[in-house]
Amino acid sequence: MATDPDNIENLVNRRYRHGFVTDIESDSLPPGLDEGVVRAISARKNEPEFMLEWRLRAYRHWRKLKEPTWAHVHYPAIDYDAISYFSAPKSDADRPKSLDEVDPKLLETYDKLGIPLHERARLAGVAVDAVFDSVSVATTFKAKLAEAGVIFCPFSEAVQKHPELVQKYLGSVVPQRDNFFATLNSAVFSDGSFVYIPKGVRCPMELSTYFRINAANTGQFERTLIIADEDSHVSYLEGCTAPMRDENQLHAAVVELVALKNARIKYSTVQNWYPGDENGVGGIYNFVTKRGDCRGANSKISWTQVETGSAITWKYPSCILRGDNSVGEFYSVAVANNYQQADTGTKMIHIGRNTSSTIVSKGISAGHAQNAYRGLVRVMPQAAGARNHTQCDSLLIGKDCGAHTFPYMEIKNPSARIEHEATTSKISADQLFYCRQRGIAEEDAVNMIVNGFCKEVFKELPMEFAVEAQNLLNVSLEGAVG
Amino acid sequence: MLEIKNLNASIGGSEILRGLSLCVRAGEVHAIMGPNGSGKSTLAQVVAGNDAYVVNSGSLLFDGQDLLALEPEERARRGIFLGFQYPVEIPGVNNAYLLKAAFNARRKHAGLSEIDAFEFLKLAKEKMAMLDMDPKFLNRGVNEGFSGGEKKRNEILQMAILEPRLAVLDETDSGLDIDALRAVANGVNALRGPDRAIILVTHYQRLLDYIEPDFVHVLSDGRIVRSGDKSLAPELEEKGYDWLREAANA
């Protein structure tokens, strides 16, 4: 029984827990989570039976789990029954009609980031029916991808059109029971991206969520699945440097990457969710599970991330190096200012022979922020010839912030070569004075030093993204010195 | 151009400069000599505006303007350059990038348009040829992994590009081999001109064999105890500083 219209009707119209009836639009669900909600989400999306069963299994398991507490972050307890697990995108009637109605502070930030005028309206969620550039670009773009045989569509569309691929790969990298947040996501995920690159195809362009039309509001439980078949290449860009605001405080996304024989996946993220105000009020809690599986020999997965947003970031993009000679990379810049807390890093699991991994992590803390790197390098007994190089640098700005490093290593094969380098530095008064003596204002000097510190990671980003990321860092650290 | 009157300055609570006065006119080169701890570097840092040093009393005028009211970057944009004794390393920040930002900050202050990377590189390469420097220098991190001599040459390169009105070189000659010393001297001599002034802070007579000063001052216990023309330098080399100190205290 995948769909039972009466059942949904009842659910939608059921009495609100606190005893009064709320008038809810037909495509939103009241707060709280039970099996009915999971069924309703699945029904709303008209999902096939296997998908509903999958969600329900996840839900039943999630009920038995406890929220993890090992991360170096502190936040008030989340009331999972106070969250609404399905809300349709805002209707045009609720959106601002023009940029004049948008928070001027937000517009000021767009200005600093150099975001083109015609993009600002879209980012601020203004209802525009006049079609702007990106839609026509997206159309040409879709045609070009189809020609190459690449599938790039919203996850919900993939469930309808390519159920066999979804069924085969969904949960094959991040199992349903992986962790509390991944399990929750598995039960209630809203939408996300689906990518399939056929054998031997080099994706003709960078795939960007930016061009993913029809899925503007994927909501708080995003689900992404990318499959690169044998001998294929793909580069995927996620996120946006523009600040993203969201009514939902809790975000728990899952990203799964599968690289088959000789395939390469490059996944770049710029995350700039609302971090809360200067006093740490508000802000998004971002609990993300990202994992790539180098399933075939000679495959390669590369994660590059620039994390500047969110009140709390809990995120460890990882690689399972299953195929012989497979390669995993993780390049990260994590910035935490004011009262932001970041606990981020990676896991490199070496299983195949002659596998290698590189980790470059740059953490920047300012204000009262806490920034932790947490990384695991595990070499399994059969992984002969495994190599890892980890470089983990922290930069402190001011005296009230903290940087923490938690490297874990589990080496079970004697032929492994593992290197770990870590540094912690402060922007020194001498460095600032030197720059100022050359005529450079203090804030510009800080930006220059910070960008220099992150250079190794920025050079891994696609070109236009790298420039935006630099500007973003400058804006994120505004007022950090003074 | 630079007028220092009765300057008292301290760092970390201890008084270093005690009633120092000095007048430098456009077109002049002044050498400041003196024993260790006499306040030579403090003088250089105070002119540049390092806020680790506290000015207790006295005045500091540049073209008649009160320097003490200006931030270090504002002083720099008006044409004051400090060649550091110990140039700091700034890992990851490209040398050319810092220099271009510095160059454009000055142009902007002067009401000129900023120049682009292409024009800037052309200018930088000309200056480097003059100083006999490898152009690869530009692409390295600021002073990152530089030898002592390379750091000093880099200071002179910055000076050559920024063309300051007043250059204060703090022991730029120390620790240099003879080739580097010549390159540094070439850079300084090329900068000499009727609109500019140079203050050389140095321990040794050696640099003055290559750069001929108009005036030589001896600093002791935080003030100038003796001033003279270039002939004072060899005299100091021969007799040391003690006789001056005794004369001053007598």
Side-chain angles (χ1 to χ4, degrees), chain B residues 103-115:
Chain B
F103 188 77
N104 279 328
R106 274 205 73 183
R107 282 183 67 93
K108 212 171 152 189
H109 177 79
L112 299 169
S113 64
E114 299 187 15
I115 67 167

Side-chain angles (χ1 to χ4, degrees), chain A residues 68-312:
Chain A
T69 53
W70 45 262
H72 193 78
V73 292
H74 303 279
Y75 53 92
I78 299 170
D79 180 358
Y80 291 91
D81 283 326
I83 295 171
S84 169
Y85 290 85
F86 188 88
S87 56
K90 270 191 184 172
S91 73
D92 281 359
D94 295 336
R95 298 179 179 209
K97 301 288 176 293
S98 75
L99 280 176
D100 299 339
E101 292 177 28
V102 173
D103 181 358
K105 234 178 157 175
L106 195 65
L107 296 178
E108 198 182 300
T109 314
Y110 288 169
D111 201 37
K112 284 177 190 156
L113 288 169
I115 289 168
L117 281 173
H118 64 275
E119 299 294 342
R120 295 183 191 183
R122 188 183 64 88
L123 291 168
V126 173
V128 236
D129 16 50
V131 176
F132 42 87
D133 291 357
S134 66
V135 175
S136 54
V137 172
T139 313
T140 351
F141 183 79
K142 283 213 148 180
K144 215 169 162 187
L145 288 177
E147 203 178 300
V150 171
I151 303 169
F152 178 35
C153 64
F155 197 92
S156 53
E157 190 181 319
V159 171
Q160 303 299 327
K161 293 189 180 164
H162 310 281
E164 69 300 338
L165 286 172
V166 172
Q167 198 165 7
K168 183 169 175 191
Y169 291 104
L170 180 67
S172 72
V173 185
V174 178
Q176 281 189 334
R177 300 185 167 203
D178 191 76
N179 68 70
F180 182 84
F181 297 108
T183 306
L184 176 63
N185 175 291
S186 300
V188 300
F189 70 84
S190 33
D191 211 330
S193 296
F194 178 85
V195 177
Y196 175 77
I197 315 288
K199 273 184 194 171
V201 171
R202 275 170 190 255
C203 187
M205 62 196 63
E206 313 257 4
L207 296 182
S208 165
T209 43
Y210 180 92
F211 287 119
R212 192 192 57 208
I213 48 172
N214 302 331
N217 284 291
T218 44
Q220 53 196 136
F221 301 104
E222 196 168 342
R223 185 98 199 180
T224 295
L225 176 58
I226 298 176
I227 303 139
D229 212 325
E230 293 179 9
D231 302 298
S232 71
H233 286 203
V234 61
S235 167
Y236 184 90
L237 315 182
E238 170 202 46
C240 178
T241 51
M244 302 282 279
R245 293 202 183 215
D246 196 300
E247 318 286 303
N248 304 308
Q249 194 169 35
L250 173 68
H251 281 239
V254 172
V255 175
E256 296 179 277
L257 311 182
V258 180
L260 301 181
K261 204 170 107 192
N262 299 326
R264 287 175 174 222
I265 301 176
K266 184 174 171 64
Y267 193 107
S268 314
T269 308
V270 171
Q271 184 269 114
N272 190 18
W273 290 107
Y274 182 55
D277 66 13
E278 302 77 31
N279 301 314
V281 177
I284 303 285
Y285 296 171
N286 197 27
F287 298 94
V288 185
T289 307
K290 288 184 164 178
R291 195 171 303 154
D293 187 357
C294 285
R295 209 163 280 183
N298 306 311
S299 56
K300 177 176 173 181
I301 289 178
S302 224
W303 298 100
T304 306
Q305 61 171 18
V306 176
E307 299 282 320
T308 65
S310 300
I312 292 172

Side-chain angles (χ1 to χ4, degrees), chain B residues 10-112:
Chain B
S10 48
I11 183 166
S14 63
E15 196 175 46
I16 310 287
L17 297 182
R18 306 164 192 213
L20 183 138
S21 296
L22 177 68
C23 181
V24 178
R25 283 178 292 268
E28 296 176 349
V29 175
H30 291 240
I32 311 262
M33 303 182 74
N36 283 334
S38 58
K40 302 191 298 292
S41 283
T42 300
L43 173 62
Q45 296 283 335
V46 168
V47 170
N50 189 339
D51 60 14
Y53 296 83
V54 181
V55 173
N56 307 311
S57 63
S59 67
L60 198 60
L61 300 180
F62 182 65
D63 289 338
Q65 191 170 21
D66 180 13
L67 274 190
L68 297 176
L70 297 177
E71 294 292 328
E73 58 268 36
E74 295 171 315
R75 300 183 195 195
R77 290 172 198 160
R78 282 168 175 78
I80 293 179
F81 178 90
L82 171 61
F84 285 81
Q85 184 179 4
Y86 303 109
V88 67
E89 298 194 11
I90 311 179
V93 175
N94 189 284
N95 221 0
Y97 187 80
L98 175 97
L99 263 171
K100 183 171 144 275
F103 188 77
N104 279 328
R106 274 205 73 183
R107 282 183 67 93
K108 212 171 152 189
H109 177 79
L112 299 169

